[in-house]
Amino acid sequence: MRDDTTSSTTRRTLLKASGAASLAAFAGCISQTGNGNGDGNGDGNGNGNGDGNGNGDTSPYSIGMVDSLTGSLSAFGERNQRGKDLALARVNDIGIDGRELEISVEDDESESQGGVSAAQKLVNQDGVPFLIGAVGSGVSLAIYESVIESTDVVQLSQNSTGLNLTEFPGLLRMSPTGRTQSLALSNIITEDGYDEVAITYVNNDYGQSLTDAFVDAYEGEVVYNSPHDQEQQSYSSVISEMNSSGADAWLFITYQAEFATMVNEAYSSGYEAQYYGADSVSGDNVLENTPDDSMEGMKIVVPSAPVDQENYQEFASAFEEEYDQQPTAWAAYAYDCVINAALAIQAADEFTGAALQETVREVSRPEGEQVTSFEAASEILADGGSPSDVDYQGVSGPIDFDENGDPVGYLQILTVEDHDYVGSGFIES
């Protein structure tokens, strides 16, 4: 995507939905800045003079992260930083063969060109062999095609849900494909009795791909289907056209700031419709910047962690203790990216992109012993286990990347009640 590509449930939501659920944490800042530490030669492949996992080198392993610290997706970036920081602390409490992990973070400014520039610095200058990034699907794709594809560097997106990423098997992601969101929205709108729908979507890969998948799945008639650009001061013409379409169901596939503007303009114009949305329209920013009764009854499908599972609940408890907020699913994805990277490093023969390509998928395969923490997985590897002996079960759910680089995922249905998000069911993708 995702945001604002994706969901943010407040703590109240969490408690209403399932007692230990999750979706609302904001904050964070740039983490430790890596400088290569001899682990890369700056050629984009991380093939430097670091001699692998051991042999006396005690300098930190340095990897990179491209995140949306500013711009329209910054709410996701802030959450990611907290998930990343919690995972990094846990990894460094144990260590990787006696060495720490450090993550150099660069801001993509929520734009593709910003992402490419950030990735170029990390890969070409710092020589990182592993890159976590990015939030926006278009940003992740731009990074992969412009910087990563011709190298051995591993790219693992923390939040991107755009459907087109599936076409690039070398681009891994921790969050599930948006195709499942589109199918779920189609089913929900149909089950609610609407045979016509008006759609507006953000004019990028994320918006276009989710909309196309929805249109393919929806059995009713799409009477309005139009893109809009990001960060416009007004969307009154879009809202007016949706109202003129005659559809009683409106579907929004956009980001938080843009959606909040649309809601306010529809509300002030007296337009009424049943709202539906993809994950990226939900968030505290939307609730705080729209009238109390402006979205009542809206239904949103968002990626979700398996909030009923013990390892997620332990993660959520630790997150709340550290930050005094419940985590979002996006923070859980960022957390698992860091753990997955650390395990791939420990399992690899050397700290190079080529070696990490061989281990990054293996440490979460179902064939291995199921473990739910870095510590437990690290012990297996330290005792001589191979990458295939480990099946890390993430706090965001089982990972198990398929041949397209997509993981197993969970979805949650949220309904707006009394200007709050209330969980009303889960779907396993």
Side-chain angles (χ1 to χ4, degrees):
M1 147 197 38
R2 78 202 300 341
D3 88 309
D4 193 37
T5 79
T6 59
S7 99
S8 81
T9 304
T10 65
R11 181 179 178 185
R12 297 189 302 275
T13 301
L14 218 80
L15 296 176
K16 291 179 183 178
S18 99
S22 75
L23 293 161
F26 296 93
C29 55
I30 298 179
S31 74
Q32 302 95 322
T33 299
N35 60 7
N37 292 310
D39 291 319
N41 61 12
D43 65 358
N45 294 311
N47 298 322
N49 58 13
D51 54 3
N53 299 344
N55 297 332
D57 191 349
T58 60
S59 61
Y61 291 109
S62 293
I63 65 173
M65 182 177 190
V66 176
D67 205 8
S68 294
L69 304 179
T70 60
S72 61
L73 308 185
S74 59
F76 291 92
E78 291 169 352
R79 301 167 196 160
N80 289 336
Q81 289 305 300
R82 289 191 165 184
K84 177 266 296 178
D85 287 342
L86 184 59
L88 191 61
R90 292 186 167 186
V91 168
N92 288 335
D93 281 345
I94 305 300
I96 305 174
D97 294 326
R99 298 168 65 177
E100 290 192 342
L101 177 67
E102 93 181 346
I103 302 176
S104 180
V105 182
E106 296 290 334
D107 183 15
D108 62 27
E109 301 175 351
S110 303
E111 298 289 346
S112 294
Q113 185 53 55
V116 170
S117 297
Q120 286 173 334
K121 178 190 180 297
L122 292 167
V123 172
N124 298 333
Q125 294 182 35
D126 297 347
V128 300
F130 196 112
L131 181 71
I132 298 172
V135 176
S137 299
V139 181
S140 288
L141 283 173
I143 290 172
Y144 183 75
E145 294 184 296
S146 299
V147 182
I148 303 297
E149 194 168 20
S150 61
T151 75
D152 288 328
V153 174
V154 176
Q155 182 182 355
L156 173 57
S157 165
Q158 64 270 41
N159 292 165
S160 297
T161 59
L163 278 65
N164 290 349
L165 271 68
T166 298
E167 301 172 10
F168 298 84
L171 172 49
L172 308 178
R173 57 174 156 190
M174 194 61 68
S175 54
T177 171
R179 185 178 302 279
T180 55
Q181 289 186 52
S182 296
L183 295 174
L185 284 165
S186 172
N187 291 336
I188 291 168
I189 293 173
T190 299
E191 291 169 1
D192 285 350
Y194 295 102
D195 55 10
E196 292 184 343
V197 65
I199 307 172
T200 186
Y201 61 91
V202 63
N203 192 18
N204 60 20
D205 175 77
Y206 165 71
Q208 181 74 66
S209 61
L210 263 68
T211 299
D212 288 348
F214 174 86
V215 171
D216 288 343
Y218 183 55
E219 295 181 356
E221 183 180 359
V222 178
V223 296
Y224 178 82
N225 185 0
S226 181
H228 58 266
D229 293 328
Q230 291 178 239
E231 299 179 350
Q232 302 299 298
Q233 292 185 341
S234 173
Y235 295 97
S236 59
S237 61
V238 172
I239 296 302
S240 176
E241 290 168 0
M242 294 180 79
N243 185 64
S244 298
S245 72
D248 292 324
W250 295 6
L251 174 59
F252 298 89
I253 302 177
T254 187
Y255 300 145
Q256 291 182 15
E258 289 76 5
F259 178 62
T261 299
M262 294 178 187
V263 170
N264 280 297
E265 290 177 337
Y267 186 78
S268 63
S269 298
Y271 300 151
E272 295 184 0
Q274 171 62 45
Y275 292 172
Y276 297 89
D279 61 283
S280 52
V281 303
S282 66
D284 286 349
N285 287 345
V286 175
L287 298 177
E288 293 166 359
N289 291 290
T290 54
D292 283 352
D293 58 347
S294 57
M295 299 183 292
E296 190 68 15
M298 181 179 187
K299 295 182 179 180
I300 307 168
V301 175
V302 302
S304 173
V307 297
D308 58 336
Q309 294 186 10
E310 183 176 351
N311 63 327
Y312 175 81
Q313 293 176 2
E314 188 279 331
F315 160 73
S317 176
F319 192 102
E320 184 172 14
E321 181 178 355
E322 181 71 21
Y323 302 116
D324 196 30
Q325 291 180 332
Q326 285 281 343
T328 64
W330 309 107
Y333 296 137
Y335 177 97
D336 279 340
C337 283
V338 175
I339 301 299
N340 201 96
L343 292 174
I345 292 169
Q346 184 171 349
D349 293 332
E350 58 183 6
F351 188 54
T352 65
L356 295 175
Q357 289 282 357
E358 298 296 322
T359 59
V360 64
R361 295 170 182 260
E362 292 300 316
V363 293
S364 61
R365 292 280 191 207
E367 291 78 12
E369 179 182 344
Q370 285 194 4
V371 290
T372 57
S373 69
F374 173 76
E375 181 177 12
S378 179
E379 287 178 358
I380 295 173
L381 296 172
D383 288 341
S386 69
S388 60
D389 291 325
V390 177
D391 178 14
Y392 171 65
Q393 300 284 297
V395 299
S396 64
I399 299 169
D400 190 21
F401 300 111
D402 65 16
E403 66 275 10
N404 300 313
D406 294 336
V408 175
Y410 288 80
L411 301 174
Q412 184 179 23
I413 303 169
L414 304 178
T415 301
V416 177
E417 297 180 9
D418 297 325
H419 213 60
D420 196 7
Y421 302 115
V422 178
S424 54
F426 288 91
I427 303 168
E428 183 172 349
S429 64

